Coordinates of all heavy atoms in Angstrom, one line a residue:
M13 N 10.5 36.9 -5.4 CA 10.7 35.5 -5.5 C 10.5 34.9 -6.9 O 9.3 35.1 -7.3 CB 10.2 34.7 -4.4 CG 10.5 33.3 -4.4 SD 9.6 32.3 -3.2 CE 10.4 32.8 -1.7
A14 N 11.2 34.3 -7.6 CA 11.0 33.9 -8.9 C 10.0 32.6 -8.7 O 10.2 31.7 -7.8 CB 12.3 33.5 -9.5
E15 N 9.1 32.5 -9.7 CA 8.2 31.3 -9.6 C 9.0 30.1 -10.3 O 9.7 30.2 -11.3 CB 7.1 31.6 -10.6 CG 6.0 30.5 -10.4 CD 4.7 30.9 -11.2 OE1 4.5 32.1 -11.4 OE2 4.1 30.0 -11.7
R16 N 8.8 29.0 -9.6 CA 9.5 27.8 -10.1 C 8.5 27.0 -10.8 O 7.4 26.9 -10.4 CB 10.0 27.0 -8.8 CG 11.1 27.6 -8.2 CD 11.8 26.7 -7.1 NE 10.9 25.8 -6.5 CZ 11.4 25.0 -5.6 NH1 12.6 25.1 -5.1 NH2 10.7 23.9 -5.2
K17 N 8.9 26.6 -11.9 CA 8.1 25.6 -12.8 C 8.4 24.2 -12.4 O 9.4 23.8 -12.2 CB 8.3 25.8 -14.3 CG 7.9 27.2 -14.7 CD 8.0 27.3 -16.2 CE 7.6 28.8 -16.6 NZ 7.7 29.0 -18.1
R18 N 7.4 23.3 -12.4 CA 7.5 21.9 -12.1 C 7.3 21.2 -13.3 O 6.5 21.5 -14.2 CB 6.3 21.5 -11.1 CG 6.5 22.1 -9.8 CD 5.5 21.4 -8.8 NE 5.7 22.1 -7.4 CZ 5.2 21.5 -6.4 NH1 4.6 20.6 -6.4 NH2 5.5 22.2 -5.3
S19 N 8.1 20.2 -13.4 CA 8.0 19.3 -14.6 C 6.9 18.3 -14.5 O 6.7 17.8 -13.4 CB 9.4 18.5 -14.8 OG 9.2 17.6 -15.7
T20 N 6.1 18.2 -15.4 CA 5.1 17.2 -15.4 C 5.5 15.8 -16.0 O 4.7 15.0 -16.0 CB 3.8 17.7 -16.2 OG1 4.2 18.0 -17.6 CG2 3.3 19.0 -15.6
K21 N 6.7 15.9 -16.5 CA 7.2 14.7 -17.2 C 7.6 13.6 -16.1 O 8.3 14.0 -15.2 CB 8.4 15.1 -18.0 CG 9.1 13.9 -18.7 CD 10.2 14.5 -19.6 CE 11.2 13.3 -20.0 NZ 12.3 13.8 -20.7
K22 N 7.1 12.4 -16.1 CA 7.6 11.4 -15.2 C 9.1 11.1 -15.5 O 9.3 10.7 -16.5 CB 6.7 10.2 -15.2 CG 5.3 10.5 -14.7 CD 4.8 9.7 -13.6 CE 3.5 10.2 -13.3 NZ 3.1 9.6 -12.0
T23 N 9.8 10.9 -14.5 CA 11.3 10.5 -14.6 C 11.3 9.1 -13.9 O 10.7 8.9 -12.9 CB 12.2 11.5 -14.1 OG1 11.9 11.6 -12.7 CG2 12.1 12.9 -14.9
E24 N 12.3 8.4 -14.4 CA 12.6 7.1 -13.7 C 13.5 7.3 -12.5 O 14.4 8.1 -12.6 CB 13.4 6.2 -14.7 CG 13.4 4.8 -14.1 CD 13.4 3.7 -15.2 OE1 12.6 3.9 -16.2 OE2 13.9 2.6 -15.0
R25 N 13.1 6.8 -11.4 CA 13.7 7.0 -10.2 C 14.7 5.9 -9.8 O 14.3 4.6 -10.1 CB 12.9 7.3 -9.1 CG 12.0 8.6 -9.3 CD 11.1 8.8 -8.2 NE 10.3 10.1 -8.3 CZ 9.2 10.3 -7.8 NH1 8.8 9.5 -6.9 NH2 8.7 11.5 -8.1
E26 N 15.8 6.1 -9.2 CA 16.6 5.0 -8.7 C 16.0 4.3 -7.5 O 15.6 5.1 -6.6 CB 18.0 5.5 -8.4 CG 19.0 4.4 -8.1 CD 20.4 5.0 -7.8 OE1 20.7 6.0 -8.2 OE2 21.1 4.4 -7.0
T27 N 15.9 3.0 -7.6 CA 15.2 2.4 -6.3 C 16.2 2.4 -5.2 O 17.5 2.3 -5.3 CB 14.7 1.0 -6.7 OG1 15.8 0.2 -7.1 CG2 13.7 1.0 -7.8
I28 N 15.7 2.3 -3.9 CA 16.6 2.3 -2.8 C 16.8 0.7 -2.5 O 16.2 -0.2 -3.0 CB 15.9 2.8 -1.5 CG1 14.7 1.9 -1.1 CG2 15.5 4.2 -1.7 CD1 14.4 2.2 0.4
K29 N 18.0 0.5 -1.9 CA 18.5 -0.8 -1.6 C 17.9 -1.1 -0.1 O 18.2 -0.6 0.7 CB 20.0 -1.1 -1.6 CG 20.3 -2.5 -1.2 CD 21.8 -2.5 -1.3 CE 22.2 -4.0 -1.1 NZ 23.7 -4.1 -1.1
V30 N 16.9 -2.2 -0.2 CA 16.3 -2.5 1.0 C 17.2 -3.5 1.8 O 17.4 -4.6 1.4 CB 14.9 -3.2 0.9 CG1 14.3 -3.7 2.0 CG2 13.9 -2.2 0.1
E31 N 17.8 -3.1 2.9 CA 18.7 -3.7 3.8 C 17.8 -4.7 4.7 O 18.1 -5.9 5.0 CB 19.6 -2.9 4.5 CG 20.5 -2.1 3.7 CD 21.6 -2.8 3.0 OE1 21.9 -3.8 3.3 OE2 22.1 -2.2 1.9
S32 N 16.9 -4.1 5.3 CA 16.0 -4.8 6.2 C 14.6 -4.1 6.2 O 14.5 -2.8 6.0 CB 16.6 -4.8 7.5 OG 16.6 -3.6 8.1
F33 N 13.6 -4.8 6.6 CA 12.3 -4.3 6.7 C 11.5 -5.1 7.8 O 11.7 -6.2 7.9 CB 11.5 -4.1 5.4 CG 10.8 -5.3 5.0 CD1 9.6 -5.7 5.3 CD2 11.5 -6.0 4.0 CE1 9.0 -6.8 4.7 CE2 11.0 -7.3 3.5 CZ 9.7 -7.5 3.8
K34 N 10.6 -4.5 8.6 CA 9.8 -5.1 9.5 C 8.4 -4.5 9.4 O 8.3 -3.2 9.4 CB 10.4 -5.0 10.9 CG 9.6 -5.6 12.0 CD 10.3 -5.4 13.3 CE 9.4 -6.0 14.4 NZ 10.1 -5.8 15.7
I35 N 7.3 -5.3 9.4 CA 6.0 -4.9 9.5 C 5.6 -4.6 10.9 O 5.7 -5.6 11.8 CB 5.0 -5.8 8.8 CG1 5.3 -6.1 7.4 CG2 3.7 -5.3 8.9 CD1 5.5 -4.8 6.5
L36 N 5.3 -3.4 11.4 CA 5.1 -3.1 12.8 C 3.7 -3.3 13.2 O 3.4 -3.8 14.3 CB 5.4 -1.6 13.1 CG 6.9 -1.2 12.7 CD1 7.1 0.3 13.0 CD2 7.9 -2.0 13.6
R37 N 2.8 -3.1 12.2 CA 1.3 -3.3 12.4 C 0.6 -3.4 11.1 O 1.1 -2.8 10.1 CB 0.8 -2.1 13.1 CG -0.7 -2.1 13.4 CD -1.4 -0.7 13.9 NE -1.1 0.2 12.6 CZ -2.2 0.4 11.7 NH1 -3.2 -0.5 11.6 NH2 -1.8 1.2 10.8
A38 N -0.3 -4.2 10.9 CA -1.0 -4.5 9.6 C -2.5 -4.6 10.1 O -2.8 -5.5 10.9 CB -0.5 -5.6 8.9
H39 N -3.5 -4.0 9.4 CA -4.9 -4.1 9.8 C -5.6 -4.0 8.5 O -5.4 -3.1 7.7 CB -5.3 -2.9 10.7 CG -6.7 -3.0 11.1 ND1 -7.2 -3.9 12.1 CD2 -7.9 -2.2 10.8 CE1 -8.5 -3.8 12.3 NE2 -8.8 -2.8 11.5
E40 N -6.6 -4.9 8.3 CA -7.6 -4.9 7.3 C -8.9 -4.3 7.8 O -9.5 -4.8 8.9 CB -7.9 -6.2 6.7 CG -8.7 -6.2 5.5 CD -8.8 -7.6 4.8 OE1 -8.3 -8.6 5.3 OE2 -9.3 -7.7 3.6
F41 N -9.5 -3.3 7.2 CA -10.7 -2.8 7.5 C -11.8 -3.6 6.9 O -11.7 -4.3 6.0 CB -10.7 -1.2 7.1 CG -9.7 -0.5 7.8 CD1 -8.4 -0.3 7.2 CD2 -10.0 0.1 9.0 CE1 -7.5 0.5 8.0 CE2 -9.1 0.8 9.8 CZ -7.9 1.0 9.2
N42 N -13.2 -3.3 7.4 CA -14.3 -4.0 6.9 C -14.5 -3.7 5.3 O -15.1 -4.6 4.7 CB -15.6 -3.5 7.5 CG -15.5 -3.9 9.0 OD1 -14.9 -5.0 9.4 ND2 -16.2 -3.3 9.9
N43 N -13.9 -2.7 4.8 CA -14.2 -2.4 3.3 C -13.1 -3.0 2.5 O -13.2 -2.8 1.4 CB -14.2 -0.9 3.1 CG -13.0 -0.1 3.4 OD1 -11.9 -0.9 3.8 ND2 -12.9 1.1 3.4
G44 N -12.3 -3.9 3.2 CA -11.1 -4.5 2.4 C -9.8 -3.7 2.3 O -8.9 -4.4 1.8
N45 N -9.8 -2.5 2.6 CA -8.6 -1.7 2.7 C -7.6 -2.2 3.8 O -8.0 -2.6 4.8 CB -8.8 -0.2 3.0 CG -9.6 0.4 1.7 OD1 -9.5 -0.1 0.6 ND2 -10.1 1.6 2.1
V46 N -6.3 -2.3 3.4 CA -5.3 -2.8 4.4 C -4.4 -1.6 4.6 O -3.8 -0.9 3.6 CB -4.5 -4.0 3.7 CG1 -3.3 -4.4 4.6 CG2 -5.5 -5.1 3.5
S47 N -4.1 -1.3 5.9 CA -3.3 -0.1 6.3 C -2.1 -0.9 7.1 O -2.4 -1.9 7.9 CB -4.1 0.7 7.3 OG -3.2 1.8 7.7
F48 N -1.0 -0.3 7.0 CA 0.2 -0.8 7.7 C 1.2 0.2 8.1 O 1.3 1.3 7.5 CB 0.7 -2.0 7.1 CG 1.5 -1.7 5.8 CD1 2.9 -1.6 5.8 CD2 0.8 -1.4 4.6 CE1 3.6 -1.3 4.6 CE2 1.6 -1.3 3.4 CZ 2.8 -1.1 3.4
D49 N 1.9 -0.1 9.2 CA 3.2 0.8 9.5 C 4.3 -0.2 9.3 O 4.2 -1.4 9.6 CB 3.0 1.1 11.0 CG 1.9 1.9 11.3 OD1 1.3 2.5 10.4 OD2 1.4 1.8 12.5
M50 N 5.5 0.3 9.0 CA 6.8 -0.6 8.9 C 8.0 0.2 9.2 O 8.0 1.4 9.1 CB 6.8 -1.2 7.4 CG 7.3 -0.2 6.3 SD 7.6 -1.2 4.8 CE 7.8 0.2 3.7
E51 N 9.0 -0.6 9.4 CA 10.3 0.0 9.6 C 11.1 -0.6 8.4 O 11.2 -1.8 8.2 CB 10.9 -0.5 10.8 CG 12.4 0.1 11.2 CD 12.8 -0.3 12.6 OE1 12.3 0.2 13.6 OE2 13.8 -1.1 12.5
I52 N 11.8 0.3 7.7 CA 12.7 -0.1 6.6 C 13.9 0.7 6.6 O 14.0 1.9 6.8 CB 11.8 0.3 5.2 CG1 12.7 -0.3 4.0 CG2 11.6 1.7 5.1 CD1 11.8 -0.4 2.7
N53 N 15.0 -0.1 6.6 CA 16.4 0.4 6.8 C 16.5 1.3 7.9 O 17.1 2.2 8.0 CB 16.9 1.1 5.4 CG 17.0 0.2 4.3 OD1 16.8 -1.1 4.5 ND2 17.2 0.6 3.2
G54 N 15.9 1.0 9.0 CA 15.9 1.8 10.3 C 15.0 3.0 10.4 O 15.0 3.7 11.4
V55 N 14.2 3.2 9.4 CA 13.3 4.3 9.4 C 11.9 3.9 9.4 O 11.5 2.9 8.8 CB 13.5 5.1 8.1 CG1 12.4 6.3 7.9 CG2 14.9 5.7 7.9
S56 N 11.1 4.4 10.3 CA 9.7 4.0 10.6 C 8.8 4.7 9.8 O 8.8 6.1 9.6 CB 9.3 4.2 12.0 OG 10.1 3.4 12.9
L57 N 7.8 4.2 9.0 CA 6.8 4.9 8.1 C 5.5 4.3 8.7 O 5.3 3.2 8.9 CB 7.0 4.5 6.6 CG 8.4 4.9 6.1 CD1 8.4 4.1 4.7 CD2 8.5 6.4 6.0
Y58 N 4.6 5.2 8.8 CA 3.2 5.0 9.3 C 2.1 5.4 8.3 O 2.4 6.2 7.4 CB 3.0 5.8 10.6 CG 4.0 5.5 11.7 CD1 5.1 6.2 11.8 CD2 3.8 4.6 12.6 CE1 6.0 6.0 12.8 CE2 4.7 4.1 13.5 CZ 5.9 4.8 13.7 OH 6.8 4.5 14.6
R59 N 0.9 4.7 8.4 CA -0.2 4.8 7.7 C -0.1 4.5 6.1 O -0.5 5.3 5.3 CB -0.7 6.2 7.8 CG -1.1 6.6 9.3 CD -1.7 7.9 9.6 NE -2.8 8.1 8.6 CZ -3.2 9.4 8.2 NH1 -2.5 10.4 8.6 NH2 -4.2 9.5 7.4
L60 N 0.7 3.6 5.8 CA 0.9 3.2 4.4 C -0.4 2.3 4.2 O -1.0 1.8 5.1 CB 2.2 2.3 4.3 CG 3.4 3.0 4.6 CD1 4.5 2.1 5.1 CD2 3.9 3.7 3.4
T61 N -0.7 2.1 2.9 CA -1.8 1.2 2.5 C -1.3 0.3 1.3 O -0.6 0.7 0.6 CB -3.1 2.0 2.2 OG1 -2.8 2.9 1.1 CG2 -3.6 2.7 3.4
V62 N -2.1 -0.9 1.2 CA -2.0 -1.6 0.1 C -3.2 -1.3 -0.8 O -4.3 -1.4 -0.4 CB -1.9 -3.2 0.4 CG1 -1.9 -3.9 -0.9 CG2 -0.7 -3.4 1.3
V63 N -2.9 -0.9 -2.0 CA -4.0 -0.5 -3.0 C -3.9 -1.6 -4.3 O -2.9 -1.7 -4.8 CB -3.8 0.9 -3.4 CG1 -4.8 1.3 -4.4 CG2 -3.8 1.7 -2.3
S64 N -5.2 -1.8 -4.6 CA -5.3 -2.7 -5.9 C -5.3 -1.8 -7.0 O -6.0 -0.8 -6.9 CB -6.6 -3.6 -5.8 OG -6.6 -4.5 -4.7
R65 N -4.6 -2.2 -8.0 CA -4.5 -1.3 -9.2 C -5.9 -1.3 -9.9 O -6.5 -2.4 -10.0 CB -3.5 -1.8 -10.2 CG -2.1 -1.6 -9.6 CD -1.1 -2.1 -10.7 NE 0.2 -2.2 -10.1 CZ 1.0 -1.1 -9.8 NH1 0.6 0.0 -10.2 NH2 2.3 -1.2 -9.3
K66 N -6.4 -0.3 -10.6 CA -7.7 -0.1 -11.1 C -7.8 -1.2 -12.3 O -8.9 -1.7 -12.7 CB -8.0 1.3 -11.6 CG -8.2 2.2 -10.5 CD -8.4 3.6 -11.0 CE -8.7 4.5 -9.8 NZ -8.8 5.9 -10.3
D67 N -6.6 -1.4 -13.0 CA -6.7 -2.3 -14.2 C -6.6 -3.7 -13.8 O -6.5 -4.6 -14.7 CB -5.6 -1.9 -15.3 CG -4.2 -2.1 -14.6 OD1 -4.0 -2.6 -13.6 OD2 -3.2 -1.8 -15.3
G68 N -6.6 -4.0 -12.5 CA -6.5 -5.4 -12.0 C -5.2 -6.1 -12.3 O -5.1 -7.3 -12.1
S69 N -4.0 -5.4 -12.4 CA -2.8 -6.0 -12.6 C -2.0 -6.2 -11.3 O -0.8 -6.3 -11.4 CB -1.9 -5.1 -13.6 OG -1.7 -3.9 -13.1
G70 N -2.6 -6.1 -10.3 CA -1.9 -6.4 -9.0 C -2.2 -5.2 -8.0 O -3.0 -4.5 -8.0
E71 N -1.1 -5.1 -6.9 CA -1.3 -4.2 -6.0 C 0.0 -3.4 -5.8 O 1.0 -3.8 -6.3 CB -1.5 -4.9 -4.5 CG -2.8 -5.8 -4.6 CD -2.9 -6.5 -3.5 OE1 -2.0 -7.2 -3.1 OE2 -4.0 -6.6 -2.8
F72 N -0.1 -2.2 -5.0 CA 1.1 -1.4 -4.9 C 1.0 -0.8 -3.5 O -0.1 -0.7 -2.9 CB 1.3 -0.2 -5.9 CG 0.2 0.7 -6.0 CD1 0.3 1.9 -5.3 CD2 -1.0 0.5 -6.7 CE1 -0.8 3.0 -5.4 CE2 -2.0 1.4 -6.8 CZ -1.9 2.6 -6.0
I73 N 2.1 -0.2 -3.0 CA 2.2 0.4 -1.7 C 1.9 1.9 -2.0 O 2.4 2.5 -2.9 CB 3.5 0.3 -1.0 CG1 3.8 -1.1 -0.7 CG2 3.5 1.2 0.3 CD1 5.1 -1.5 -0.3
S74 N 0.8 2.5 -1.2 CA 0.5 3.8 -1.4 C 1.0 4.5 0.0 O 0.8 4.0 1.0 CB -1.0 3.9 -1.4 OG -1.4 5.3 -1.4
Y75 N 1.6 5.7 -0.2 CA 2.2 6.4 0.9 C 1.2 7.5 1.3 O 0.3 7.9 0.7 CB 3.5 7.0 0.5 CG 4.6 6.0 0.2 CD1 4.6 5.5 -1.2 CD2 5.3 5.5 1.0 CE1 5.5 4.4 -1.4 CE2 6.2 4.5 0.8 CZ 6.3 4.0 -0.5 OH 7.2 3.0 -0.8
P76 N 1.3 7.8 2.7 CA 0.4 9.0 3.3 C 0.5 10.1 2.3 O 1.6 10.6 1.9 CB 1.0 9.2 4.6 CG 1.9 8.2 4.9 CD 2.4 7.5 3.7
A77 N -0.7 10.8 2.1 CA -0.7 12.1 1.3 C -1.7 13.0 1.7 O -2.6 12.7 2.6 CB -1.1 11.5 -0.1
Y78 N -1.7 14.3 1.2 CA -2.6 15.2 1.6 C -3.0 15.9 0.3 O -2.3 15.8 -0.8 CB -2.0 16.2 2.5 CG -0.8 17.0 1.9 CD1 -1.1 18.4 1.3 CD2 0.4 16.6 1.9 CE1 0.0 19.0 0.8 CE2 1.5 17.3 1.3 CZ 1.3 18.5 0.8 OH 2.3 19.2 0.3
E79 N -4.3 16.5 0.3 CA -4.7 17.1 -0.8 C -4.7 18.7 -0.8 O -4.9 19.2 0.4 CB -6.3 16.8 -1.0 CG -6.8 17.3 -2.3 CD -8.4 17.0 -2.6 OE1 -8.9 16.5 -1.6 OE2 -8.8 17.2 -3.6
N80 N -4.2 19.3 -1.8 CA -4.1 20.7 -1.8 C -4.5 21.2 -3.2 O -3.9 20.8 -4.3 CB -2.6 21.2 -1.6 CG -2.5 22.6 -1.4 OD1 -3.5 23.4 -1.5 ND2 -1.3 23.2 -1.5
N81 N -5.6 22.0 -3.3 CA -6.3 22.6 -4.5 C -6.4 21.6 -5.6 O -6.1 21.6 -6.8 CB -5.2 23.6 -5.2 CG -5.0 24.8 -4.2 OD1 -6.0 25.2 -3.6 ND2 -3.8 25.4 -4.2
G82 N -7.0 20.4 -5.1 CA -7.4 19.3 -6.1 C -6.3 18.3 -6.5 O -6.6 17.4 -7.2
K83 N -5.1 18.5 -6.0 CA -3.9 17.6 -6.4 C -3.6 17.0 -5.0 O -3.7 17.5 -3.9 CB -2.9 18.5 -6.9 CG -3.2 19.2 -8.2 CD -1.8 19.6 -8.8 CE -2.2 20.2 -10.2 NZ -0.9 20.8 -10.9
W84 N -3.0 15.8 -5.2 CA -2.6 14.9 -4.1 C -1.0 14.9 -4.0 O -0.3 14.8 -5.2 CB -3.1 13.6 -4.1 CG -4.5 13.5 -3.8 CD1 -5.6 13.6 -4.7 CD2 -5.2 13.2 -2.6 NE1 -6.8 13.5 -4.0 CE2 -6.5 13.3 -2.7 CE3 -4.5 13.2 -1.2 CZ2 -7.3 13.2 -1.5 CZ3 -5.4 13.0 -0.2 CH2 -6.7 13.0 -0.3
Y85 N -0.5 15.1 -2.7 CA 1.1 15.1 -2.7 C 1.3 14.2 -1.5 O 0.7 14.2 -0.4 CB 1.4 16.4 -2.2 CG 1.1 17.6 -3.3 CD1 0.0 18.2 -3.2 CD2 2.0 17.9 -4.4 CE1 -0.4 19.2 -4.2 CE2 1.8 18.8 -5.3 CZ 0.5 19.4 -5.2 OH 0.2 20.3 -6.1
N86 N 2.4 13.3 -1.8 CA 2.8 12.4 -0.7 C 3.6 13.1 0.4 O 4.4 13.9 0.0 CB 3.7 11.4 -1.3 CG 3.0 10.3 -2.2 OD1 1.8 10.1 -2.0 ND2 3.6 9.6 -3.1
Y87 N 3.5 12.6 1.6 CA 4.3 13.1 2.7 C 5.6 12.6 2.5 O 6.6 13.2 2.9 CB 3.8 12.9 4.0 CG 2.6 13.6 4.5 CD1 1.3 13.2 4.4 CD2 2.8 15.0 4.9 CE1 0.2 13.9 4.9 CE2 1.7 15.8 5.3 CZ 0.4 15.2 5.3 OH -0.6 16.0 5.6
C88 N 5.8 11.4 2.1 CA 7.1 10.7 1.9 C 6.8 9.7 0.8 O 5.8 9.3 0.4 CB 7.4 9.9 3.3 SG 6.3 8.6 3.7
Y89 N 7.9 9.2 0.2 CA 7.9 8.3 -0.9 C 9.3 7.5 -0.9 O 10.2 8.1 -0.8 CB 7.6 8.9 -2.2 CG 7.7 8.0 -3.4 CD1 6.6 7.1 -3.7 CD2 8.9 7.9 -4.2 CE1 6.6 6.2 -4.7 CE2 8.9 7.1 -5.2 CZ 7.9 6.3 -5.5 OH 7.8 5.3 -6.5
L90 N 9.1 6.2 -1.1 CA 10.4 5.3 -1.4 C 10.2 4.7 -2.7 O 9.3 4.1 -2.9 CB 10.4 4.3 -0.2 CG 10.7 4.8 1.2 CD1 10.7 3.6 2.1 CD2 12.1 5.4 1.3
A91 N 11.2 4.8 -3.5 CA 11.2 4.2 -4.9 C 11.7 2.7 -4.5 O 12.9 2.5 -4.4 CB 12.1 4.9 -5.8
L92 N 10.8 1.8 -4.5 CA 11.2 0.3 -4.3 C 11.1 -0.4 -5.6 O 10.3 -0.1 -6.5 CB 10.1 -0.2 -3.4 CG 10.1 0.4 -2.0 CD1 8.9 -0.1 -1.2 CD2 11.3 0.2 -1.2
S93 N 12.0 -1.4 -5.6 CA 11.8 -2.3 -6.8 C 10.6 -3.1 -6.8 O 10.0 -3.2 -5.7 CB 13.2 -3.2 -6.9 OG 13.0 -4.2 -5.8
E94 N 10.1 -3.6 -7.8 CA 9.0 -4.4 -7.9 C 9.1 -5.6 -6.9 O 8.2 -6.0 -6.2 CB 8.6 -4.8 -9.3 CG 7.2 -5.5 -9.4 CD 6.8 -5.6 -10.8 OE1 7.5 -5.1 -11.7 OE2 6.0 -6.6 -11.1
A95 N 10.2 -6.2 -7.0 CA 10.5 -7.4 -6.1 C 10.4 -7.0 -4.6 O 9.8 -7.7 -3.8 CB 11.8 -8.1 -6.5
D96 N 11.0 -5.8 -4.2 CA 11.0 -5.5 -2.8 C 9.5 -5.1 -2.5 O 9.0 -5.5 -1.4 CB 11.9 -4.3 -2.6 CG 13.3 -4.8 -2.5 OD1 13.6 -6.0 -2.3 OD2 14.3 -3.9 -2.8
S97 N 8.9 -4.3 -3.3 CA 7.5 -4.1 -3.0 C 6.6 -5.3 -2.8 O 5.8 -5.4 -1.9 CB 6.9 -3.1 -4.2 OG 5.6 -2.8 -4.0
D98 N 6.7 -6.3 -3.8 CA 6.0 -7.5 -3.6 C 6.3 -8.3 -2.3 O 5.4 -8.8 -1.6 CB 6.3 -8.5 -4.8 CG 5.7 -7.9 -6.1 OD1 4.9 -7.1 -6.0 OD2 6.1 -8.5 -7.1
K99 N 7.6 -8.2 -1.9 CA 7.9 -8.9 -0.5 C 7.3 -8.3 0.6 O 6.8 -8.8 1.4 CB 9.5 -8.9 -0.4 CG 10.2 -9.9 -1.3 CD 11.6 -9.7 -1.0 CE 12.6 -10.3 -2.0 NZ 14.0 -10.1 -1.8
I100 N 7.3 -6.9 0.5 CA 6.6 -6.1 1.7 C 5.1 -6.3 1.7 O 4.5 -6.6 2.7 CB 7.0 -4.6 1.5 CG1 8.4 -4.4 1.7 CG2 6.1 -3.8 2.5 CD1 9.0 -3.0 1.4
I101 N 4.5 -6.2 0.5 CA 3.0 -6.6 0.5 C 2.7 -7.9 1.0 O 1.8 -8.1 1.7 CB 2.6 -6.4 -1.0 CG1 2.6 -4.9 -1.4 CG2 1.0 -6.9 -1.1 CD1 2.4 -4.6 -2.8
Q102 N 3.5 -9.0 0.7 CA 3.2 -10.2 1.2 C 3.4 -10.4 2.6 O 2.6 -11.0 3.5 CB 4.2 -11.3 0.5 CG 3.8 -12.7 0.9 CD 2.5 -13.1 0.6 OE1 2.0 -13.1 -0.5 NE2 1.9 -13.7 1.6
A103 N 4.5 -9.7 3.2 CA 4.7 -9.6 4.6 C 3.5 -8.9 5.3 O 3.1 -9.3 6.4 CB 6.0 -8.9 4.9
V104 N 2.9 -7.8 4.7 CA 1.8 -7.1 5.2 C 0.6 -8.2 5.5 O 0.0 -8.2 6.5 CB 1.4 -6.1 4.5 CG1 0.0 -5.4 4.8 CG2 2.3 -5.0 4.5
Y105 N 0.4 -8.9 4.3 CA -0.8 -9.9 4.6 C -0.5 -11.0 5.5 O -1.4 -11.5 6.1 CB -1.1 -10.6 3.1 CG -1.9 -9.6 2.2 CD1 -1.3 -9.1 1.0 CD2 -3.1 -9.1 2.6 CE1 -2.0 -8.3 0.2 CE2 -3.7 -8.2 1.8 CZ -3.3 -7.8 0.6 OH -4.0 -6.9 -0.2
D106 N 0.8 -11.4 5.6 CA 1.2 -12.4 6.6 C 1.1 -11.9 8.1 O 1.0 -12.6 9.0 CB 2.6 -12.8 6.5 CG 2.8 -13.6 5.1 OD1 1.8 -14.2 4.6 OD2 4.0 -13.8 4.7
N107 N 1.1 -10.6 8.3 CA 1.0 -10.0 9.5 C -0.2 -9.2 10.0 O -0.3 -8.4 10.8 CB 2.2 -9.1 9.8 CG 3.6 -9.7 9.9 OD1 3.8 -10.1 11.0 ND2 4.3 -9.7 8.8
L108 N -1.3 -9.5 9.2 CA -2.6 -8.9 9.4 C -3.2 -9.2 10.9 O -2.9 -10.3 11.4 CB -3.7 -9.3 8.4 CG -3.6 -8.7 7.1 CD1 -4.7 -9.2 6.2 CD2 -3.9 -7.1 7.1
D109 N -3.7 -8.3 11.6 CA -4.3 -8.4 12.9 C -5.4 -9.6 12.7 O -6.0 -9.8 11.7 CB -5.1 -7.1 13.4 CG -4.2 -6.1 13.5 OD1 -3.0 -6.3 13.9 OD2 -4.7 -4.9 13.6
D110 N -5.5 -10.4 13.7 CA -6.5 -11.4 13.8 C -7.8 -10.9 14.3 O -7.9 -10.0 14.9 CB -6.0 -12.6 14.6 CG -5.0 -13.3 14.0 OD1 -4.9 -13.3 12.8 OD2 -4.0 -13.7 14.7

């Protein structure tokens, strides 16, 4: 079997068109981390998190991942526009458990 080389160059991805989304569950832990499940365009995604950027420039959605040989790999990933991502993050905060 031939060895495949992976490109380390980041490429721009086309964003998906968000037709609909619904926050199924959102929970803030004692350490301030926020975890949530959502349905987007009819597909359910679980164990997503809202993460603050290290440079303080805002937040982003982190997808479930696993570690293998010191590298992290996402189980799934959706390329969302910044506007859609911001709408989802706001909806997460609006739906936090009491």
Side-chain angles (χ1 to χ4, degrees):
M13 181 185 287
E15 185 176 329
R16 295 187 336 184
K17 293 185 180 182
R18 293 185 180 196
S19 172
T20 57
K21 181 178 159 184
K22 296 237 180 196
T23 57
E24 190 141 337
R25 297 180 179 162
E26 185 176 334
T27 60
I28 68 161
K29 182 177 181 184
V30 177
E31 301 289 338
S32 65
F33 75 90
K34 177 181 178 183
I35 304 303
L36 304 173
R37 180 194 64 85
H39 180 76
E40 184 171 12
F41 295 95
N42 292 337
N43 62 6
N45 290 343
V46 176
S47 175
F48 68 100
D49 304 332
M50 76 171 173
E51 185 178 289
I52 186 165
N53 295 352
V55 176
S56 297
L57 299 173
Y58 299 95
R59 296 182 58 208
L60 303 146
T61 54
V62 176
V63 178
S64 295
R65 295 184 191 280
K66 292 180 182 178
D67 64 4
S69 66
E71 299 171 315
F72 65 94
I73 297 171
S74 177
Y75 296 88
Y78 65 96
E79 184 180 13
N80 186 9
N81 295 325
K83 291 185 178 183
W84 286 91
Y85 300 92
N86 289 337
Y87 283 107
C88 63
Y89 175 78
L90 293 175
L92 299 171
S93 71
E94 188 173 338
D96 285 337
S97 183
D98 290 345
K99 285 180 197 174
I100 291 169
I101 291 170
Q102 185 58 53
V104 168
Y105 284 120
D106 292 345
N107 286 282
L108 282 175
D109 294 338
D110 293 326

